[in-house]
Amino acid sequence: MRILVIDVGGTHAKVLVSGTAEPRKFPTGSGFTPQQLVERTRAQTADWTYDAITIGVPSPVLRGEVMKEPWNLGTGWVGFDFSAAFGTRVRILNDAAMQALGSDEGGRLLFLGLGSGLGTALVDDGRVVALELAHLPFRDQTFEDICGQRGLDAMGEAAWRQAVIEASQLLRDAVAAEYVVLGGGNVRLFDELPATIRRGHNDKAFEGGFRAWQPADSTPSPLRALASAAPRQSLRELFANDPGRADRFSLAIGDHLHIDYSKNLVTDDSMAVLHALARKTGVESLRDRMFAGDAINVTEHRAVMHVALRNRSGRPMHVNGRDVMPDIRAALDHMRTFSESVRAGQWLGYSGLHITDVVNIGIGGSDLGPAMVTQAMAAYSREGPRLHFVSNVDGTHLEETLRPLHPATTLFTVASKTFTTQETMTNARSARAWFLSRAQDDTAIAKHFVAISTNEQEVRAFGIAPENMFVFWDWVGGRYSLWSSIGLPIALAAGFGRFEQILDGAHEVDEHFRTAPIERNVPITLGLLGVWYASVLGAETHAVLPYEQYLHRLPAYLQQLDMESNGKRVDRQGHPVQGPTGPIVWGEPGTNGQHAFFQLLHQGTRLVPCDFLAGIESHDSQPEHHRLLLANCFAQTEALMRGKTEDEARGELIAQGLRGAALDALLPHKVFPGNRPSTTILYRKLGPRTIGMLLAIYEHKVFTMGAIWNVNSFDQWGVELGKQLAAAVASDLAATGDASSHDASTNRLINLARQRRADVS
Ligand code: F6P
């Protein structure tokens, strides 16, 4: 976005537009009106284009409205409609507040502008708070009398300097600021300043004017201070001025994946700051500790070793001093033997028929990963049994899935790390009842139910023999478990060889993540961009847009991966985090999303960084479809980045024959601000190896973000409270008397549901 900043002073106004270095100025003075400001600005900036304007005025401003006529200018400022007069979006700030915003280095700062008067403003974690402290009493006069030009003239330089320092400290304490920035022309009279008082610069007013259009965080973050490394130019300008940008901001892993992050709101400076952040926050050392099997899941005292599951190097990997690779190889052999015998029709059901359908019962990590990858591998799964996934405790999920199936040819994989998860165990018990109602023989269960779990005791208690149990270990987190026996449905659907290729792809990324320098490291780069948007630029959300129908469950899978990992409010030491952590992740396959929520992406008010994923080749036999699919994908990234300026929109409307009032009325709706960030992940063709690579990249991206925020990305205590309360509510729903132990709303809901159920039955 190109922004014009107008800094209005008592004698001159200065103007600067994004991407230029030299401000221009014109005289103001007493009697100067807002109409004159508009006219003179127009005259001075006729050769500049801009999409929005920030105006700093020497008056109190509240919520973008001038509250009082400026004492050193003319009248008419209160209530003046600058947006209408300029015909574009305008933000008004108090002049001191604008300079304060530009001087912000994070945290809470008090700004004091030392000019003819005294301007004051507070910036609290990137947000400007209006303040008018100048007229408060100080040394029998006011702060303005003492610190302004009158005080300087009366006291002389040395005494004035002392008074300003005293005033700064008093006011800093009063508003609980962490530091003071002294700005305005008279700051030049200080050679030295105490540690908590910093020197400002008048040019910072322009920076504040540009920053006024950056979204503010909802919660404080010291990382906000990095915002000064955000680009001053729009992406459109950055591309126009730098032919090497796309090359420089692209990465690759082998010849499978091309990652273009050039359409992100970063410059070389921003990336340098982010690389330094990764170093400072110890991303690499935490990564190395993960690969070394240290218990980096600090709240559960566990290693985090899903990378061992796909370690194809032959190197040992240790947890608690023990090489876990032999166990992993044995578990893989078990999966191989079983999946091959089911696929070959050798594994027979109780009546001697081979298995045609497999129903995986699991939830969260025991569902989303295998379900998403099985669907992603559909093109490779034509010869295997049909796979179905039941996760929801809503009985319709199980019933609708089982309706077309026959118990004699159906195999159930009951997948649960703990084997205690309410939804999974409820579904598994109902599935067993459905099966036994036809088979009428408990011994038949061994041919139709297998378990995937770490909990042998519960598996036995359910009635599944240990030889039908596929194991994994507590150092595999649920959402990181598709590489373990939890991936059995994938091997059943697509074949064990294909499952191994998925592991190969993930291993290639692990090696890259482990060894590539930060600057060329794909997951670290994507993680840094994630932190940049969430913590520095204030994005609340992140969209994942696969232009690949086979990946239609990828956003759902990534929701668990990202939000269960980094949706944390305390750090690894248990202290509240400062600032936002994991974003809200969502998405839908392109091109469907284009006809639904892309309107908001292009013209809404929120910053939504997007990942576009696409394959250069397709599995289908319709080249025309694929050409259109890719065209849409690339075009959307271009449209988000470029936008459409008012001039371009006007030109189009004129070409369509529109003129006058009709044109003016439609014009604002036709403008696209552009400068909306996206990353494009391009792969050759969606095969097993590519899927493994993509998922490992996202895992390590999430790792990187968690490392920088210093949160434990490997626990999920936040899911427990709902589970606890659900158990209590479930027993109240089954009880006879009215519920009374909850809040009034919950009691009422329970009683209503019970009553309605009684009415129905
Ligand atoms: O409730 C959250 C969760 O614990 C996830 O982390 C996990 O993937 C899911 O439940 C299923 O757990 P389990 O595999 O033990 O049934």
PDB file of all heavy atoms in Angstrom, residues 22 36 111 190 226 286 327 331 385 463 561 618 621 702 749:
ATOM      1  N   GLU A  22      12.787  12.122  -0.167  1.00  0.00           N
ATOM      2  CA  GLU A  22      12.812  13.570   0.082  1.00  0.00           C
ATOM      3  C   GLU A  22      11.427  14.130   0.359  1.00  0.00           C
ATOM      4  O   GLU A  22      10.563  14.165  -0.533  1.00  0.00           O
ATOM      5  CB  GLU A  22      13.382  14.284  -1.156  1.00  0.00           C
ATOM      6  CG  GLU A  22      14.897  14.224  -1.282  1.00  0.00           C
ATOM      7  CD  GLU A  22      15.594  14.734  -0.018  1.00  0.00           C
ATOM      8  OE1 GLU A  22      15.239  15.829   0.473  1.00  0.00           O
ATOM      9  OE2 GLU A  22      16.474  14.019   0.482  1.00  0.00           O
ATOM     10  N   GLN A  36      -7.317  24.578   2.718  1.00  0.00           N
ATOM     11  CA  GLN A  36      -6.019  24.966   2.130  1.00  0.00           C
ATOM     12  C   GLN A  36      -5.042  23.792   2.174  1.00  0.00           C
ATOM     13  O   GLN A  36      -4.251  23.589   1.252  1.00  0.00           O
ATOM     14  CB  GLN A  36      -5.436  26.155   2.895  1.00  0.00           C
ATOM     15  CG  GLN A  36      -6.206  27.441   2.622  1.00  0.00           C
ATOM     16  CD  GLN A  36      -5.741  28.565   3.542  1.00  0.00           C
ATOM     17  OE1 GLN A  36      -5.512  28.372   4.737  1.00  0.00           O
ATOM     18  NE2 GLN A  36      -5.619  29.761   2.976  1.00  0.00           N
ATOM     19  N   PHE A 111       6.080   9.680  24.666  1.00  0.00           N
ATOM     20  CA  PHE A 111       6.753  10.596  23.750  1.00  0.00           C
ATOM     21  C   PHE A 111       6.499  12.029  24.210  1.00  0.00           C
ATOM     22  O   PHE A 111       5.358  12.410  24.502  1.00  0.00           O
ATOM     23  CB  PHE A 111       6.201  10.390  22.334  1.00  0.00           C
ATOM     24  CG  PHE A 111       6.788  11.345  21.344  1.00  0.00           C
ATOM     25  CD1 PHE A 111       7.993  11.066  20.719  1.00  0.00           C
ATOM     26  CD2 PHE A 111       6.133  12.532  21.048  1.00  0.00           C
ATOM     27  CE1 PHE A 111       8.546  11.960  19.817  1.00  0.00           C
ATOM     28  CE2 PHE A 111       6.683  13.430  20.146  1.00  0.00           C
ATOM     29  CZ  PHE A 111       7.892  13.140  19.533  1.00  0.00           C
ATOM     30  N   PHE A 190      20.146  18.681  23.750  1.00  0.00           N
ATOM     31  CA  PHE A 190      20.688  17.674  24.667  1.00  0.00           C
ATOM     32  C   PHE A 190      21.873  16.962  24.020  1.00  0.00           C
ATOM     33  O   PHE A 190      21.751  16.468  22.899  1.00  0.00           O
ATOM     34  CB  PHE A 190      19.631  16.611  25.004  1.00  0.00           C
ATOM     35  CG  PHE A 190      18.566  17.091  25.929  1.00  0.00           C
ATOM     36  CD1 PHE A 190      17.399  17.664  25.440  1.00  0.00           C
ATOM     37  CD2 PHE A 190      18.736  16.987  27.305  1.00  0.00           C
ATOM     38  CE1 PHE A 190      16.420  18.113  26.300  1.00  0.00           C
ATOM     39  CE2 PHE A 190      17.746  17.432  28.173  1.00  0.00           C
ATOM     40  CZ  PHE A 190      16.584  18.000  27.666  1.00  0.00           C
ATOM     41  N   LEU A 226      10.297  -5.233  15.826  1.00  0.00           N
ATOM     42  CA  LEU A 226      10.899  -5.567  14.529  1.00  0.00           C
ATOM     43  C   LEU A 226      10.165  -4.890  13.372  1.00  0.00           C
ATOM     44  O   LEU A 226      10.624  -4.931  12.237  1.00  0.00           O
ATOM     45  CB  LEU A 226      10.883  -7.088  14.314  1.00  0.00           C
ATOM     46  CG  LEU A 226      11.566  -7.952  15.381  1.00  0.00           C
ATOM     47  CD1 LEU A 226      11.567  -9.400  14.960  1.00  0.00           C
ATOM     48  CD2 LEU A 226      12.996  -7.485  15.619  1.00  0.00           C
ATOM     49  N   LEU A 286      17.468 -25.911  19.733  1.00  0.00           N
ATOM     50  CA  LEU A 286      16.301 -26.729  20.120  1.00  0.00           C
ATOM     51  C   LEU A 286      16.080 -27.847  19.090  1.00  0.00           C
ATOM     52  O   LEU A 286      15.764 -28.985  19.434  1.00  0.00           O
ATOM     53  CB  LEU A 286      15.044 -25.858  20.246  1.00  0.00           C
ATOM     54  CG  LEU A 286      13.869 -26.549  20.928  1.00  0.00           C
ATOM     55  CD1 LEU A 286      14.153 -26.793  22.413  1.00  0.00           C
ATOM     56  CD2 LEU A 286      12.570 -25.758  20.797  1.00  0.00           C
ATOM     57  N   ASP A 327      13.349 -50.984  17.225  1.00  0.00           N
ATOM     58  CA  ASP A 327      11.901 -51.082  17.504  1.00  0.00           C
ATOM     59  C   ASP A 327      11.094 -50.523  16.330  1.00  0.00           C
ATOM     60  O   ASP A 327      10.046 -51.057  15.962  1.00  0.00           O
ATOM     61  CB  ASP A 327      11.539 -50.270  18.761  1.00  0.00           C
ATOM     62  CG  ASP A 327      12.076 -50.933  20.026  1.00  0.00           C
ATOM     63  OD1 ASP A 327      12.537 -52.090  19.940  1.00  0.00           O
ATOM     64  OD2 ASP A 327      12.049 -50.275  21.090  1.00  0.00           O
ATOM     65  N   ALA A 331       8.355 -52.461  14.028  1.00  0.00           N
ATOM     66  CA  ALA A 331       6.967 -51.998  13.853  1.00  0.00           C
ATOM     67  C   ALA A 331       6.642 -51.845  12.367  1.00  0.00           C
ATOM     68  O   ALA A 331       5.542 -52.178  11.910  1.00  0.00           O
ATOM     69  CB  ALA A 331       6.767 -50.680  14.587  1.00  0.00           C
ATOM     70  N   PRO A 385      -7.984 -52.096  -0.487  1.00  0.00           N
ATOM     71  CA  PRO A 385      -9.347 -52.043   0.035  1.00  0.00           C
ATOM     72  C   PRO A 385      -9.819 -50.590   0.117  1.00  0.00           C
ATOM     73  O   PRO A 385      -9.011 -49.666   0.095  1.00  0.00           O
ATOM     74  CB  PRO A 385      -9.207 -52.646   1.435  1.00  0.00           C
ATOM     75  CG  PRO A 385      -7.782 -52.470   1.799  1.00  0.00           C
ATOM     76  CD  PRO A 385      -7.002 -52.502   0.527  1.00  0.00           C
ATOM     77  N   GLY A 463     -10.195 -56.482  24.182  1.00  0.00           N
ATOM     78  CA  GLY A 463     -10.411 -57.789  23.561  1.00  0.00           C
ATOM     79  C   GLY A 463      -9.607 -57.987  22.289  1.00  0.00           C
ATOM     80  O   GLY A 463      -9.918 -58.877  21.483  1.00  0.00           O
ATOM     81  N   LEU A 561      -2.241 -29.678  13.652  1.00  0.00           N
ATOM     82  CA  LEU A 561      -0.780 -29.591  13.767  1.00  0.00           C
ATOM     83  C   LEU A 561      -0.363 -28.238  14.353  1.00  0.00           C
ATOM     84  O   LEU A 561       0.435 -28.161  15.287  1.00  0.00           O
ATOM     85  CB  LEU A 561      -0.140 -29.796  12.390  1.00  0.00           C
ATOM     86  CG  LEU A 561       1.373 -29.623  12.349  1.00  0.00           C
ATOM     87  CD1 LEU A 561       2.064 -30.697  13.177  1.00  0.00           C
ATOM     88  CD2 LEU A 561       1.899 -29.656  10.911  1.00  0.00           C
ATOM     89  N   SER A 618      -0.659 -32.961 -13.097  1.00  0.00           N
ATOM     90  CA  SER A 618      -1.853 -33.441 -12.414  1.00  0.00           C
ATOM     91  C   SER A 618      -1.990 -34.948 -12.606  1.00  0.00           C
ATOM     92  O   SER A 618      -1.350 -35.537 -13.471  1.00  0.00           O
ATOM     93  CB  SER A 618      -3.042 -32.711 -13.014  1.00  0.00           C
ATOM     94  OG  SER A 618      -4.205 -33.416 -12.781  1.00  0.00           O
ATOM     95  N   SER A 621      -6.794 -36.788 -16.355  1.00  0.00           N
ATOM     96  CA  SER A 621      -6.503 -36.908 -17.782  1.00  0.00           C
ATOM     97  C   SER A 621      -7.114 -35.730 -18.531  1.00  0.00           C
ATOM     98  O   SER A 621      -7.517 -35.852 -19.672  1.00  0.00           O
ATOM     99  CB  SER A 621      -7.097 -38.230 -18.286  1.00  0.00           C
ATOM    100  OG  SER A 621      -8.434 -38.316 -17.821  1.00  0.00           O
ATOM    101  N   VAL A 702       6.085 -25.292  12.171  1.00  0.00           N
ATOM    102  CA  VAL A 702       5.415 -25.125  13.465  1.00  0.00           C
ATOM    103  C   VAL A 702       6.444 -25.200  14.600  1.00  0.00           C
ATOM    104  O   VAL A 702       6.392 -24.434  15.572  1.00  0.00           O
ATOM    105  CB  VAL A 702       4.316 -26.205  13.617  1.00  0.00           C
ATOM    106  CG1 VAL A 702       3.803 -26.296  15.038  1.00  0.00           C
ATOM    107  CG2 VAL A 702       3.170 -25.920  12.646  1.00  0.00           C
ATOM    108  N   LEU A 749     -29.481 -25.995  29.854  1.00  0.00           N
ATOM    109  CA  LEU A 749     -29.284 -26.747  28.601  1.00  0.00           C
ATOM    110  C   LEU A 749     -29.420 -28.248  28.855  1.00  0.00           C
ATOM    111  O   LEU A 749     -30.061 -28.971  28.090  1.00  0.00           O
ATOM    112  CB  LEU A 749     -27.897 -26.440  28.010  1.00  0.00           C
ATOM    113  CG  LEU A 749     -27.693 -25.007  27.514  1.00  0.00           C
ATOM    114  CD1 LEU A 749     -26.220 -24.760  27.188  1.00  0.00           C
ATOM    115  CD2 LEU A 749     -28.556 -24.740  26.285  1.00  0.00           C
TER     116      LEU A 749
END
